Amino acid sequence: MSTLLEQLHAQAGEFIGLRRDIHHHPELAFDEHRTSALVAAKLESWGYAVERGLGGTGVVGRLVRGKGKRRLGLRADMDALPIDEATGLAYASSHAGVMHACGHDGHTAMLLAAAHHLAERGRFDGTLNLIFQPAEEGGGGALRMMEDGLFDKYPCDAIFAMHNMPGLPQGRLALREGPAMASSDYATVTLAGIGGHGAMPHRTADPIVAAASIVMALQTVVSRNIDPLQMAVVTVGAIHAGKANNVIPQSAVLEISVRALDREVRGRLEERIKALVAAQAESFGIKAQIDWRPGYAVLVNAPEETAFAREVALELLGPERVTLQAPALPGSEDFAFMLERVPGSYLLIGNGEGDSHGACMVHNPGYDFNDDNVAIGSAYWVLLTERFLRD
Ligand SMILES: [Zn+2]
Ligand SMILES: [Zn+2]
């Protein structure tokens, strides 16, 4: 497959320039106006049928070739993060406090580079849907595009997405079948007690004692209610209560973060946390209110589509540069919502390891996407498209 890689190497310069331009003009979730306009204009100029404004600032480009019935979806994310860039690069962010610190500039550039090649000389038969989504970083842009009819207007038989990964050798592809990234849910527990004098606790209902007891009781959810072979996290990240040593406050608030790698475990965590909070609070004569906010779902890679994605990776790079079953990650990713609707697979591309600049972790102010991945990442998308939509 060296010829395909060579072809994408030959055009990579243009897309590295585009990547740096996007990096220089980062935009936060649902504010990706310049980026999505740029994406839409490029796709249109290459002959794609383009829809703008799906899910706010999302863009879909469709290219139909031949009479094939198969429909493929490829997704990239476009949003930046509220971070002050500290890379010192010539193309560093020109927007104070906003930075492409997760490489979504690179994901966009890789998919555009593939889009260009596929329009010019892609050999496929069927429908290609390129999905550029807003607000991956906590905003749930994938869900917003789906609520706007993404898969009703652009049905897909399978969908794929790729994220860069610092610490993994540059250009290495890592796949995983099954649960690959965690769900993340949030809960705010408000404990309403009866405040009073610290010297007369018997005339109060102390929310601080109740809060302390709840924090300890919550530790038993993972250790006693969840299968020891399953991953689960319950973290109380904040406690807010009281101001003075001799005043028992009226209320206390707990902020809880909950993660799981399995849909059933996720449900069990919610059920047990709610039950424990209610029972514990009641035992202290305290009223508890729990505001449960579901975040991203567990990201589950489908077996058949992952097997296919592995074959494409092996064909492009050979076994030395492909990890067939990578470990799961405790982070979250809203492509999970798309995978709940359409089977597919989410893979990683190594951003660099050791003391290379590509090894700096995402969400760090010193991070930068590795431009050497533009050719490999786009070649992967081209080959995957040509294999999935075989003519
Ligand atoms: Zn991120
Ligand atoms: Zn990201």
Side-chain angles (χ1 to χ4, degrees):
M1 277 330 294
S2 62
T3 51
L4 177 62
L5 267 174
E6 276 163 24
Q7 286 167 13
L8 285 141
H9 265 297
Q11 65 153 32
E14 178 189 345
F15 292 94
I16 289 169
L18 199 70
R19 201 284 288 182
R20 294 180 176 189
D21 178 72
I22 297 171
H23 190 94
H24 190 55
H25 300 98
E27 296 169 307
L28 291 173
F30 295 121
D31 196 33
E32 308 92 337
H33 298 288
R34 182 185 185 276
T35 312
S36 62
L38 190 153
V39 166
K42 289 282 177 197
L43 292 173
E44 253 163 12
S45 74
W46 302 326
Y48 286 77
V50 172
E51 178 168 354
R52 299 153 202 255
L54 208 64
T57 40
V59 175
V60 179
R62 170 147 66 182
L63 194 61
V64 181
R65 203 157 274 181
K67 293 203 167 63
K69 293 272 180 287
R70 300 247 285 174
R71 303 150 308 179
L72 171 67
L74 303 178
R75 172 276 212 174
D77 39 17
M78 301 186 291
D79 57 320
L81 283 157
I83 292 176
D84 261 316
E85 180 158 353
T87 60
L89 292 162
Y91 53 87
S93 172
S94 57
H95 301 168
V98 184
M99 174 191 178
H100 267 296
C102 204
H104 299 183
D105 49 346
H107 305 161
T108 298
M110 289 192 294
L111 193 54
L112 281 177
H116 177 250
H117 181 94
L118 285 162
E120 296 244 305
R121 44 173 137 174
R123 291 208 312 268
F124 65 92
D125 184 27
T127 300
L128 172 64
N129 296 308
L130 302 182
I131 303 161
F132 292 84
Q133 79 153 76
E136 190 286 320
E137 300 284 2
L143 215 46
R144 284 279 299 278
M145 287 188 85
M146 288 165 67
E147 285 162 4
D148 266 6
L150 173 64
F151 293 122
D152 306 312
K153 293 178 176 176
Y154 305 94
C156 294
D157 299 308
I159 47 165
F160 299 87
M162 186 175 352
H163 204 293
N164 75 96
M165 182 49 62
L168 197 66
Q170 185 266 316
R172 187 179 184 87
L173 296 175
L175 299 100
R176 179 179 170 84
E177 181 192 319
M181 294 188 78
S183 60
S184 58
D185 299 319
Y186 313 94
T188 301
V189 174
T190 306
L191 302 169
I194 300 169
H197 200 294
M200 288 174 273
H202 60 294
R203 308 273 302 271
T204 73
D206 188 345
I208 288 188
V209 172
S213 183
I214 288 170
V215 172
M216 296 314 293
L218 288 176
Q219 306 311 307
T220 66
V221 175
V222 173
S223 70
R224 303 292 89 180
N225 301 134
I226 303 297
D227 179 343
L229 296 179
Q230 296 275 15
M231 179 275 215
V233 178
V234 177
T235 292
V236 180
I239 303 181
H240 303 291
K243 285 197 170 71
N245 62 28
N246 60 352
V247 179
I248 291 170
Q250 290 275 86
S251 66
V253 175
L254 306 178
E255 298 288 351
I256 304 175
S257 163
V258 183
R259 286 169 192 263
L261 261 179
D262 175 274
R263 287 166 189 159
E264 273 175 34
V265 170
R266 184 189 189 194
R268 180 87 174 129
L269 288 170
E270 176 177 355
E271 179 198 315
R272 286 303 302 152
I273 290 168
K274 285 180 171 172
L276 266 181
V277 166
Q280 287 277 323
E282 175 156 21
S283 75
F284 291 97
I286 301 278
K287 280 198 178 62
Q289 201 199 347
I290 183 156
D291 173 24
W292 191 273
R293 299 184 301 284
Y296 290 174
V298 181
L299 185 147
V300 183
N301 288 327
E304 208 175 300
E305 286 70 21
T306 304
F308 164 74
R310 282 176 182 144
E311 277 169 35
V312 174
L314 290 170
E315 183 180 348
L316 185 72
L317 298 176
E320 308 77 31
R321 296 175 68 193
V322 178
T323 302
L324 294 176
Q325 184 70 350
L329 295 169
S332 303
E333 158 67 62
D334 79 343
F335 188 60
F337 294 123
M338 293 191 182
L339 287 175
E340 285 188 326
R341 176 81 183 269
V342 180
S345 203
Y346 177 82
L347 66 144
L348 303 174
I349 182 165
N351 203 55
E353 60 177 340
D355 45 17
S356 75
H357 82 273
C360 176
M361 205 52 202
V362 289
H363 294 209
N364 181 292
Y367 166 86
D368 191 32
F369 180 81
N370 194 326
D371 282 327
D372 292 339
N373 279 339
V374 170
I376 295 174
S378 56
Y380 182 77
W381 285 143
V382 168
L383 189 61
L384 186 136
T385 302
E386 293 187 340
R387 291 292 173 265
F388 191 85
L389 304 173
R390 233 178 236 283
D391 61 3

